[in-house]
Amino acid sequence: MRLKIEQLFKKGFFHIFGSSAINKVIAFASSIVLVRILSKTEYGAFTYAWNIYCIILLCNGMGLESGMLQLASEHSGDAEYGQRICNYGTRLGLKINIMPALLLLCIGAFAPLKIAGGGRLLIALCALPFFQFMFAMTNSFLRSQKMNKEFARLQVTNTLLLFIVSAGCAVVLREMGLVIGHYAAYIVTVLVSTLAFNVHLIQKGIPDIPAEDKMPLLKISFISMLNNGLSQLMYLIDVFIIGIVDPQETILASYKVATMIPTALTFIPAAMITFVYPYFAEHKDDGKWCLDKYKQLILGLGAFNICTSLILVALAPFIIKILFGAAYLDAVPVFRLLAINYFVSGTFRIISGNLLVTQRRLKFNLLVAIISSTINIIADYFFIQWWGSKGAAYATMMVVLLSSIMSTTYLVHTFRSKRNN
């Protein structure tokens, strides 16, 4: 046991998990501070605009950070190849991001948005996709090279900057201060990665990637973008449809508060995936190895997650009142539903969906994402009309359970088929 712990420490697992925990603590503290600084109306307006921004950013860089991570991980140990694919992917992704930037500008300037103030916030956010994409490519490069300690430090830097600048600016500039905080965090973090960790996303004179690798890169990236985008849409569409069916800033603010802790807890499975992804990609043809490691991962994570969910359900009123104030006690029912949902998502859906990418089962992931998103949109529209914001939580729970069953079943089948060959 001691030897395993020492090996995990050397490989950077505890750096990743520790930084993820620190990040979520900082991000959660930031949310509490911002809820206290801004009025419920101001926070609801930012939530509305940020939700539209995130929906558009589902196509950020056409998913090239995912394609780059997969191919570079498959060529583990070849740093030159990793740099070449990073160079190619970054150049292409920045060009692609001109489209979402223009779309944000047009929506902010001309669309008849339901909540006042959303348009000017979207206009202010229109250049942020370029910096977010550079940050995403930096993360993928560090992960592909197994530079886990550097990756962990960069994550903490980004989150800490976002907290400090956003909170400081929000006091004076209100919700616009949150926009400034995002710009500062991503710009400075990319500079730190270049100066401190010698990560150069774009270099002159670097040979292009082999022609035979371009199509796999684009295919993996595009399908990963669709998979990830449709999966994230499941959470974003809730706020979007609430904003259509019942466009009140206070309702949006309460729903957002209810999602904060269950969403923040996803750092646990996300940290696990961040660490194990390159290893599963490297051993993608070894079904026995993958199945054994997957079982260990699910058993340990599942035991922790079920205890966490039960505690959140039991203490929901106290947690909401202490952290966010009595004004947000109307968020308790939704909070409890999403706490239960975290167990299913954090134990099965997140893990299985990501590991299917390591096996290049992209088409199945896409099928799951299309089915899930379609059902979620339809369920959201009707459930929200019937049960209000609780309807959005019911829809999310239903879709997460369905997608978890599909992904987990197919992943185990994939591992077993490779083990038997």
PDB file of all heavy atoms in Angstrom, residues 83 86-87 90 141 193-195 197-203:
ATOM      1  N   GLN A  83       4.156  18.367 -29.295  1.00  0.00           N
ATOM      2  CA  GLN A  83       4.291  19.785 -29.618  1.00  0.00           C
ATOM      3  C   GLN A  83       3.767  20.091 -31.019  1.00  0.00           C
ATOM      4  O   GLN A  83       3.113  21.124 -31.242  1.00  0.00           O
ATOM      5  CB  GLN A  83       5.769  20.204 -29.524  1.00  0.00           C
ATOM      6  CG  GLN A  83       6.017  21.677 -29.779  1.00  0.00           C
ATOM      7  CD  GLN A  83       5.298  22.570 -28.792  1.00  0.00           C
ATOM      8  OE1 GLN A  83       5.575  22.550 -27.611  1.00  0.00           O
ATOM      9  NE2 GLN A  83       4.351  23.369 -29.276  1.00  0.00           N
ATOM     10  N   CYS A  86      -0.026  20.017 -30.957  1.00  0.00           N
ATOM     11  CA  CYS A  86      -0.488  21.182 -30.197  1.00  0.00           C
ATOM     12  C   CYS A  86      -0.410  22.439 -31.052  1.00  0.00           C
ATOM     13  O   CYS A  86      -1.326  23.269 -31.066  1.00  0.00           O
ATOM     14  CB  CYS A  86       0.352  21.345 -28.930  1.00  0.00           C
ATOM     15  SG  CYS A  86      -0.118  22.751 -27.912  1.00  0.00           S
ATOM     16  N   ASN A  87       0.677  22.572 -31.773  1.00  0.00           N
ATOM     17  CA  ASN A  87       0.887  23.730 -32.640  1.00  0.00           C
ATOM     18  C   ASN A  87      -0.187  23.796 -33.732  1.00  0.00           C
ATOM     19  O   ASN A  87      -0.812  24.848 -33.963  1.00  0.00           O
ATOM     20  CB  ASN A  87       2.279  23.619 -33.272  1.00  0.00           C
ATOM     21  CG  ASN A  87       2.704  24.887 -33.982  1.00  0.00           C
ATOM     22  OD1 ASN A  87       2.923  25.917 -33.353  1.00  0.00           O
ATOM     23  ND2 ASN A  87       2.831  24.833 -35.299  1.00  0.00           N
ATOM     24  N   THR A  90      -3.833  24.362 -32.127  1.00  0.00           N
ATOM     25  CA  THR A  90      -4.065  25.706 -31.591  1.00  0.00           C
ATOM     26  C   THR A  90      -4.329  26.702 -32.717  1.00  0.00           C
ATOM     27  O   THR A  90      -5.248  27.532 -32.629  1.00  0.00           O
ATOM     28  CB  THR A  90      -2.861  26.175 -30.759  1.00  0.00           C
ATOM     29  OG1 THR A  90      -2.619  25.236 -29.698  1.00  0.00           O
ATOM     30  CG2 THR A  90      -3.124  27.550 -30.152  1.00  0.00           C
ATOM     31  N   PHE A 141      -2.169  19.736 -23.391  1.00  0.00           N
ATOM     32  CA  PHE A 141      -0.749  19.475 -23.640  1.00  0.00           C
ATOM     33  C   PHE A 141      -0.074  18.945 -22.378  1.00  0.00           C
ATOM     34  O   PHE A 141       0.664  17.954 -22.426  1.00  0.00           O
ATOM     35  CB  PHE A 141      -0.052  20.741 -24.121  1.00  0.00           C
ATOM     36  CG  PHE A 141       1.423  20.561 -24.359  1.00  0.00           C
ATOM     37  CD1 PHE A 141       1.886  19.975 -25.523  1.00  0.00           C
ATOM     38  CD2 PHE A 141       2.353  20.948 -23.407  1.00  0.00           C
ATOM     39  CE1 PHE A 141       3.249  19.783 -25.748  1.00  0.00           C
ATOM     40  CE2 PHE A 141       3.718  20.764 -23.614  1.00  0.00           C
ATOM     41  CZ  PHE A 141       4.170  20.182 -24.788  1.00  0.00           C
ATOM     42  N   SER A 193       1.713  29.807 -17.939  1.00  0.00           N
ATOM     43  CA  SER A 193       2.087  28.522 -18.543  1.00  0.00           C
ATOM     44  C   SER A 193       3.257  28.682 -19.508  1.00  0.00           C
ATOM     45  O   SER A 193       4.105  27.797 -19.622  1.00  0.00           O
ATOM     46  CB  SER A 193       0.889  27.907 -19.266  1.00  0.00           C
ATOM     47  OG  SER A 193       0.579  28.640 -20.441  1.00  0.00           O
ATOM     48  N   THR A 194       3.307  29.824 -20.182  1.00  0.00           N
ATOM     49  CA  THR A 194       4.391  30.071 -21.142  1.00  0.00           C
ATOM     50  C   THR A 194       5.694  30.393 -20.428  1.00  0.00           C
ATOM     51  O   THR A 194       6.749  29.834 -20.747  1.00  0.00           O
ATOM     52  CB  THR A 194       4.012  31.233 -22.082  1.00  0.00           C
ATOM     53  OG1 THR A 194       2.786  30.919 -22.753  1.00  0.00           O
ATOM     54  CG2 THR A 194       5.111  31.465 -23.111  1.00  0.00           C
ATOM     55  N   LEU A 195       5.627  31.278 -19.440  1.00  0.00           N
ATOM     56  CA  LEU A 195       6.838  31.757 -18.775  1.00  0.00           C
ATOM     57  C   LEU A 195       7.372  30.784 -17.735  1.00  0.00           C
ATOM     58  O   LEU A 195       8.586  30.596 -17.613  1.00  0.00           O
ATOM     59  CB  LEU A 195       6.564  33.115 -18.125  1.00  0.00           C
ATOM     60  CG  LEU A 195       6.145  34.245 -19.083  1.00  0.00           C
ATOM     61  CD1 LEU A 195       5.779  35.510 -18.304  1.00  0.00           C
ATOM     62  CD2 LEU A 195       7.254  34.541 -20.090  1.00  0.00           C
ATOM     63  N   PHE A 197       6.186  27.342 -17.174  1.00  0.00           N
ATOM     64  CA  PHE A 197       6.196  25.920 -17.528  1.00  0.00           C
ATOM     65  C   PHE A 197       6.678  25.667 -18.953  1.00  0.00           C
ATOM     66  O   PHE A 197       6.677  24.532 -19.425  1.00  0.00           O
ATOM     67  CB  PHE A 197       4.802  25.320 -17.344  1.00  0.00           C
ATOM     68  CG  PHE A 197       4.268  25.482 -15.953  1.00  0.00           C
ATOM     69  CD1 PHE A 197       2.929  25.784 -15.747  1.00  0.00           C
ATOM     70  CD2 PHE A 197       5.091  25.352 -14.850  1.00  0.00           C
ATOM     71  CE1 PHE A 197       2.419  25.932 -14.473  1.00  0.00           C
ATOM     72  CE2 PHE A 197       4.600  25.498 -13.571  1.00  0.00           C
ATOM     73  CZ  PHE A 197       3.259  25.793 -13.376  1.00  0.00           C
ATOM     74  N   ASN A 198       7.060  26.735 -19.653  1.00  0.00           N
ATOM     75  CA  ASN A 198       7.630  26.627 -20.994  1.00  0.00           C
ATOM     76  C   ASN A 198       6.688  25.915 -21.975  1.00  0.00           C
ATOM     77  O   ASN A 198       7.119  25.143 -22.828  1.00  0.00           O
ATOM     78  CB  ASN A 198       8.965  25.872 -20.940  1.00  0.00           C
ATOM     79  CG  ASN A 198       9.823  26.137 -22.167  1.00  0.00           C
ATOM     80  OD1 ASN A 198       9.778  27.230 -22.743  1.00  0.00           O
ATOM     81  ND2 ASN A 198      10.590  25.138 -22.577  1.00  0.00           N
ATOM     82  N   VAL A 199       5.390  26.217 -21.844  1.00  0.00           N
ATOM     83  CA  VAL A 199       4.400  25.665 -22.771  1.00  0.00           C
ATOM     84  C   VAL A 199       4.155  26.698 -23.864  1.00  0.00           C
ATOM     85  O   VAL A 199       3.601  27.759 -23.616  1.00  0.00           O
ATOM     86  CB  VAL A 199       3.068  25.341 -22.059  1.00  0.00           C
ATOM     87  CG1 VAL A 199       2.039  24.846 -23.072  1.00  0.00           C
ATOM     88  CG2 VAL A 199       3.292  24.302 -20.973  1.00  0.00           C
ATOM     89  N   HIS A 200       4.581  26.384 -25.071  1.00  0.00           N
ATOM     90  CA  HIS A 200       4.407  27.288 -26.205  1.00  0.00           C
ATOM     91  C   HIS A 200       3.395  26.650 -27.159  1.00  0.00           C
ATOM     92  O   HIS A 200       3.722  25.700 -27.879  1.00  0.00           O
ATOM     93  CB  HIS A 200       5.741  27.530 -26.907  1.00  0.00           C
ATOM     94  CG  HIS A 200       6.765  28.170 -26.023  1.00  0.00           C
ATOM     95  ND1 HIS A 200       6.803  29.529 -25.778  1.00  0.00           N
ATOM     96  CD2 HIS A 200       7.786  27.625 -25.301  1.00  0.00           C
ATOM     97  CE1 HIS A 200       7.800  29.818 -24.964  1.00  0.00           C
ATOM     98  NE2 HIS A 200       8.421  28.665 -24.654  1.00  0.00           N
ATOM     99  N   LEU A 201       2.190  27.167 -27.130  1.00  0.00           N
ATOM    100  CA  LEU A 201       1.126  26.583 -27.933  1.00  0.00           C
ATOM    101  C   LEU A 201       1.408  26.703 -29.422  1.00  0.00           C
ATOM    102  O   LEU A 201       1.102  25.802 -30.197  1.00  0.00           O
ATOM    103  CB  LEU A 201      -0.205  27.256 -27.603  1.00  0.00           C
ATOM    104  CG  LEU A 201      -0.713  27.079 -26.164  1.00  0.00           C
ATOM    105  CD1 LEU A 201      -1.994  27.874 -25.963  1.00  0.00           C
ATOM    106  CD2 LEU A 201      -0.936  25.607 -25.847  1.00  0.00           C
ATOM    107  N   ILE A 202       1.982  27.830 -29.824  1.00  0.00           N
ATOM    108  CA  ILE A 202       2.286  28.067 -31.236  1.00  0.00           C
ATOM    109  C   ILE A 202       3.771  28.395 -31.363  1.00  0.00           C
ATOM    110  O   ILE A 202       4.274  29.296 -30.699  1.00  0.00           O
ATOM    111  CB  ILE A 202       1.446  29.228 -31.804  1.00  0.00           C
ATOM    112  CG1 ILE A 202      -0.047  28.896 -31.722  1.00  0.00           C
ATOM    113  CG2 ILE A 202       1.842  29.532 -33.238  1.00  0.00           C
ATOM    114  CD1 ILE A 202      -0.955  30.011 -32.179  1.00  0.00           C
ATOM    115  N   GLN A 203       4.457  27.650 -32.203  1.00  0.00           N
ATOM    116  CA  GLN A 203       5.881  27.893 -32.446  1.00  0.00           C
ATOM    117  C   GLN A 203       6.150  27.945 -33.940  1.00  0.00           C
ATOM    118  O   GLN A 203       5.627  27.127 -34.695  1.00  0.00           O
ATOM    119  CB  GLN A 203       6.734  26.780 -31.812  1.00  0.00           C
ATOM    120  CG  GLN A 203       6.727  26.756 -30.296  1.00  0.00           C
ATOM    121  CD  GLN A 203       7.731  25.748 -29.739  1.00  0.00           C
ATOM    122  OE1 GLN A 203       8.796  25.529 -30.327  1.00  0.00           O
ATOM    123  NE2 GLN A 203       7.401  25.148 -28.614  1.00  0.00           N
TER     124      GLN A 203
END
